[in-house]
Amino acid sequence: MPGDALDFRPLAAEDWDRWYRNLEVAFGGSEDFPEDRELWRELTELDRSVGVWDGDHPVGGASAFSFRMAVPGGAVVPAAGVTMVGVLPTHRRRGVLSRLMRDQLDEVRRRGEALAVLTASESLIYGRFGYGLGTWRMGVTVPRRVGLRAPVDRSVRLRLVAPESVVAACEELYAELVPHRPGMLARQPGWEKLPLKDPAGGREGASPLQCVVAEDRESGQLLGYARYAVAMDWNASDIADGTVRVRDLEARTPGVRAALVEFLLGLDLTGRVRFRSRPVDDALLHLVDDPRRLEPQLVDSMYVRLVELGAALEQRGYAAPVDVVLEVSDAFCPWNAGRWRLHSDGPGKGASCVRTEAAADLALDVRELGAAYLGGVRLTALAAAGLVTELRDGALTETTRAFASDVAPWLPHGF
């Protein structure tokens, strides 16, 4: 088997530092800030982590997090969050990565998780292991001179607070939103620290992390929040031209969201607000009165792998009735290959996906099925690219409608 001359073994706690340093070298050699390193040490699941050793030297590794992720229909289901994958340049082209992926997907299957997800440092790598691009994220820069055309909730009270002082209330609000957007992760204990990471050495000239909260004036209930930093700058005429860097913004109502955006656009000594990561259908695109002045940028985000195809398709909901036979190819996880009949009577009706000998209606690779799984990538678009083949007239439209999501899937943060 590829990599057999090397020692693949579970990660021991005492080896974590050397194992993680190996990962840093595989990613170019820069060392994480101590605060970041300690958080990743805390979050690492040792029983899901593997190191590759050449004698006494770590040369590769991979890990996974035990996530729960929202899928279309509102269910929040188990998903393996593949992470910390790296191989030293001295040991590439020896099958190490392939074996890590093989062993990991086998382990995910043994754990009963039907899905695996990851974010890719290089987008070319993981398609050959059956991962399809399922979500995009949108960065948006908004000039300060842009106004809002949507109504702002003037009844709320805005307060500047220390980010750590309201983390519990912010996490409660975030948890309420998770089931309503596919791709969002239900944060487990410890993960509430990730949005607060703010090592001084990583600010790139910006202020420490700040937080504004929107609260009900009478009850004090948290209705929304935004975490941000300000990077000051001055132009050639000595006019302030800072940038507000928004890390995250969540709100319970449209009016509260508008109030928070208005606050960010009104910060003194700044010329623009830059939202780092938003859904591609974010309300921000419609809040402003001059959308042409927005500067959006799309970036690939989360890749989805169906590990147990039948179970994965039964876990999600469907936006319309569907009865289709899928001819699926899966070279890396052959237990998924073959014909599957997917049936659902539509929203709230559940689904079944079982093997069948019936004639196929659509033919596609598991990679494309993973891309379409969260509802943001249309099967019709994949068919137009030559990646899905319609074998029965009407099957493509029927299946595309069923797989659709009311909102675009989105991964709020990396892992």
Side-chain angles (χ1 to χ4, degrees):
M1 188 172 182
D4 276 342
L6 302 172
D7 184 13
F8 289 68
R9 64 174 186 258
L11 179 64
E14 59 270 21
D15 291 329
W16 189 91
D17 281 300
R18 296 176 65 203
W19 176 83
Y20 193 79
R21 179 56 191 154
N22 172 84
L23 179 69
E24 291 173 329
V25 173
F27 277 79
S30 298
E31 294 188 4
D32 270 2
F33 299 108
E35 301 94 325
D36 291 351
R37 175 181 281 260
E38 286 309 306
L39 178 58
W40 293 122
R41 183 200 301 271
E42 177 184 335
L43 295 176
T44 299
E45 299 181 32
L46 293 176
D47 63 336
R48 304 200 69 161
S49 304
V50 174
V52 184
W53 301 80
D54 189 348
D56 190 43
H57 303 287
V59 298
S63 186
F65 297 120
S66 301
F67 284 148
R68 296 187 65 82
M69 181 179 70
V71 297
V76 181
V77 305
V82 176
T83 187
M84 301 183 191
V85 180
V87 180
L88 289 186
T90 53
H91 288 70
R92 289 177 184 153
R93 307 293 185 266
R94 294 174 57 176
V96 176
L97 178 60
S98 293
R99 178 166 171 184
L100 285 169
M101 294 293 97
R102 164 82 284 130
D103 292 351
Q104 187 178 67
L105 288 173
D106 288 343
E107 174 64 15
V108 170
R109 189 185 187 201
R110 284 192 292 271
R111 286 174 175 264
E113 295 164 327
L115 296 167
V117 296
L118 58 80
T119 60
S121 56
E122 293 187 68
S123 56
L124 284 172
I125 294 176
Y126 293 99
R128 68 181 187 267
F129 305 120
Y131 287 84
L133 174 55
T135 75
W136 295 78
R137 64 178 173 88
M138 179 177 63
V140 187
T141 299
V142 186
R144 190 181 179 195
R145 60 182 177 273
V146 167
L148 300 185
R149 61 184 295 266
V152 175
D153 188 342
R154 303 293 181 193
S155 70
V156 299
R157 175 180 60 202
L158 299 181
R159 281 197 307 130
L160 283 171
V161 298
E164 299 81 2
S165 69
V166 291
V167 63
C170 290
E171 286 299 297
E172 180 181 347
L173 190 159
Y174 172 87
E176 290 178 14
L177 300 176
V178 167
H180 301 290
R181 187 176 290 275
M184 291 186 71
L185 302 175
R187 290 202 278 257
Q188 306 300 314
W191 282 88
E192 75 282 354
K193 299 176 183 178
L194 185 64
L196 303 182
K197 277 203 318 171
D198 187 34
R203 291 172 184 159
E204 299 179 336
S207 70
L209 187 66
Q210 302 182 58
C211 182
V212 58
V213 295
E215 300 170 326
D216 181 269
R217 290 184 182 275
E218 295 185 3
S219 67
Q221 181 191 20
L222 182 76
L223 301 176
Y225 64 91
R227 299 185 183 111
Y228 66 95
V230 178
M232 286 306 306
D233 198 6
W234 307 82
N235 66 19
S237 300
D238 215 24
I239 297 174
D241 190 32
T243 299
V244 183
R245 300 176 182 172
V246 181
R247 180 173 297 185
D248 47 17
L249 184 154
E250 304 294 353
R252 282 195 163 97
T253 68
V256 171
R257 179 181 295 105
L260 291 169
V261 172
E262 182 183 63
F263 168 85
L264 295 168
L265 287 170
L267 289 172
D268 290 338
L269 306 179
T270 63
R272 69 201 55 80
V273 178
R274 184 168 295 151
F275 293 82
R276 181 184 61 85
S277 174
R278 301 305 302 167
V280 298
D281 62 346
D282 194 63
L284 181 64
L285 299 174
H286 310 285
L287 274 174
V288 299
D289 59 7
D290 192 355
R292 184 174 293 180
R293 294 189 181 277
L294 299 180
E295 299 175 24
Q297 181 182 24
L298 287 181
V299 180
D300 61 297
S301 182
M302 186 164 64
Y303 291 74
V304 181
R305 212 304 174 192
L306 277 59
V307 181
E308 285 284 9
L309 186 149
L313 292 180
E314 289 179 347
Q315 286 179 342
R316 57 154 292 171
Y318 294 89
V322 62
D323 193 353
V324 65
V325 175
L326 305 171
E327 179 82 50
V328 180
S329 57
D330 191 341
F332 203 69
C333 294
W335 58 81
N336 285 326
R339 295 178 186 173
W340 296 83
R341 182 189 178 195
L342 172 65
H343 175 83
S344 174
D345 290 328
K349 301 296 185 180
S352 66
C353 187
V354 297
R355 288 197 173 274
T356 181
E357 297 297 323
D361 300 318
L362 293 179
L364 71 170
D365 190 80
V366 73
R367 180 177 177 178
E368 277 59 65
L369 204 53
Y373 182 79
L374 292 175
V377 175
R378 299 291 186 262
L379 288 167
T380 47
L382 296 173
L387 299 172
V388 176
T389 302
E390 184 178 49
L391 303 173
R392 170 176 63 81
D393 287 346
L396 180 61
T397 297
E398 173 191 347
T399 311
T400 299
R401 288 173 177 167
F403 269 70
S405 169
D406 289 339
V407 296
W410 177 54
L411 175 67
H413 56 76
F415 53 86

